[in-house]
Amino acid sequence: MSRRNDASELTRVCFVPTASGDSRDYIERFEAAFEGRAQTHVLSLFGQSPWDFQDPAMLLGMDLIYVGGGSTANLLSLWRRHGVDELMKTAAAGGTILAGISAGANCWFDASSTDSFGPLAPLNDGLGFLRGSACPHFHGEPGREESFLGWITDGSLPAPGIAIDDHAAVVYVDGVATSVMVESVEAAAYIVDADGSLCNFDEHRRVVPVSEHVPDE
């Protein structure tokens, strides 16, 4: 994002904290992080004061929509009730960047690995903007890796799977994963094929079996 003197020309960023029940602390941390860098907006479906309920159509005027973590299942249910799912699709078609973490990453896929119901479970109820299934916190939470690989292999979740470590972000352009960005040397993203094979999708846009060593460039 380029620096601009006129605050009205700053990038318009909307935080959507539905999955956390519009957590006040979460919203305040978002606003603090983007203060002076962007015009910040919050889509509150719970009417959280002082943001109050917002017409979801506000999403159509955003440059970037960032979706927070929490319950994937609750997010999807509320979005559909309020028509947010269709507005997200329209916004993306108009050039708005869609982004998110945890539940905010899961929601864009056909399916995902979620703990929305307590224990980890497959959820085949995503928005379907992106093919296949997603698993956040891949190496960050116990059971994530084993369960995700198992569900892909037995067909409980559709392939291809995208497994994302904490501190890693996968960039999609026109529905295709094009690159991964990491803020930690331990972080990575992986592609899981239907047979459960795991390939590292690295920052150089290469996809290689995890057993292969890739020399530094």
Side-chain angles (χ1 to χ4, degrees):
M1 182 177 65
S2 61
R3 292 181 178 273
R4 298 173 182 173
N5 294 325
D6 186 348
S8 67
E9 295 184 7
L10 291 174
T11 299
R12 295 160 295 179
V13 180
C14 183
F15 181 46
V16 185
T18 313
S20 65
D22 286 2
S23 164
R24 185 186 188 93
D25 175 67
Y26 207 171
I27 295 171
E28 290 175 345
R29 284 188 283 123
F30 157 76
E31 292 185 328
F34 281 88
E35 184 177 5
R37 302 179 180 184
Q39 289 185 41
T40 59
H41 304 263
V42 176
L43 175 60
S44 174
L45 299 182
F46 291 85
Q48 174 73 280
S49 178
W51 301 276
D52 300 322
F53 180 84
Q54 298 287 323
D55 183 347
M58 68 183 291
L59 296 172
L60 301 179
M62 298 299 143
D63 299 306
L64 169 66
I65 297 170
Y66 178 73
V67 182
S71 171
T72 305
N74 289 353
L75 175 156
L76 290 167
S77 179
L78 281 170
W79 279 11
R80 286 166 176 147
R81 181 67 175 176
H82 289 273
V84 174
D85 53 340
E86 292 300 321
L87 287 166
M88 288 288 192
K89 183 183 297 185
T90 301
T96 300
I97 297 171
L98 307 182
I101 184 173
S102 195
N106 276 347
C107 61
W108 314 117
F109 291 81
D110 292 321
S112 62
S113 165
T114 183
D115 57 3
S116 296
F117 306 101
L120 286 171
L123 179 66
N124 286 280
D125 190 32
L127 296 177
F129 294 3
L130 300 175
R131 286 188 55 238
S133 51
C135 178
H137 317 297
F138 189 56
H139 288 125
E141 294 180 358
R144 286 278 185 177
E145 179 177 6
E146 298 82 2
S147 59
F148 190 57
L149 295 180
W151 291 328
I152 293 288
T153 302
D154 69 18
S156 297
L157 286 176
I162 188 75
I164 310 167
D165 284 340
D166 296 335
H167 307 292
V170 180
V171 178
Y172 280 79
V173 178
D174 295 329
V176 177
T178 60
S179 60
V180 59
M181 298 183 293
V182 299
E183 59 180 8
S184 167
V185 294
E186 295 84 11
Y190 306 86
I191 295 174
V192 184
D193 292 328
D195 61 1
S197 60
L198 190 67
C199 294
N200 189 324
F201 184 24
D202 75 10
E203 62 183 345
H204 302 291
R205 299 178 62 185
R206 298 167 300 190
V207 179
V208 296
V210 293
S211 59
E212 291 186 12
H213 170 69
V214 178
D216 294 332
E217 293 185 344

